[in-house]
Amino acid sequence: MDPVQTTLADEVREQVRRRRIDPQVEADAVRQLAIDVVAEHEKRSLTGAVRSLDEPDRIVGGIVADVAGFGPLQPFLDDPTVEEVWINEPCLVG
């Protein structure tokens, strides 16, 4: 995962904890928090304090998958054309 996305996901997780949001039940609230955090990051990027994100929507989706879903598996689980997912070993690729 991109280091910036990791930092933003950590910020969303902290807000989820503070607001006592259940990510499994309130995925829409997690998505809104991710949108807000990414928007704030993009706002800071206008000052040059941080770099701008190339694909903010992709980052939001990744954060939501990481915080309220199954991380890198989530896109496959959401894809109606994927019939099965095999996991050969518990290591991260990327």
Side-chain angles (χ1 to χ4, degrees):
M1 186 182 327
D2 180 299
V4 174
Q5 181 175 329
T6 301
T7 301
L8 296 175
D10 289 344
E11 189 172 330
V12 169
R13 276 191 198 86
E14 182 57 34
Q15 289 190 32
V16 163
R17 278 196 234 23
R18 270 191 266 134
R19 297 176 190 201
R20 297 178 186 211
I21 294 171
D22 181 345
Q24 297 300 308
V25 176
E26 301 174 81
D28 289 338
V30 173
R31 178 168 295 284
Q32 189 57 55
L33 282 174
I35 289 169
D36 294 345
V37 165
V38 168
E40 183 60 33
H41 177 89
E42 288 299 276
K43 193 173 166 182
R44 284 192 315 261
S45 76
L46 296 174
T47 67
V50 295
R51 71 172 176 82
S52 180
L53 301 171
D54 294 331
E55 299 176 85
D57 292 337
R58 183 185 61 76
I59 297 293
V60 167
I63 291 170
V64 174
D66 197 39
V67 175
F70 291 96
L73 292 177
Q74 196 62 48
F76 300 109
L77 300 173
D78 291 341
D79 186 341
T81 64
V82 174
E83 295 180 6
E84 59 186 9
V85 176
W86 289 21
I87 300 172
N88 293 325
E89 61 183 75
C91 69
L92 296 175
V93 177

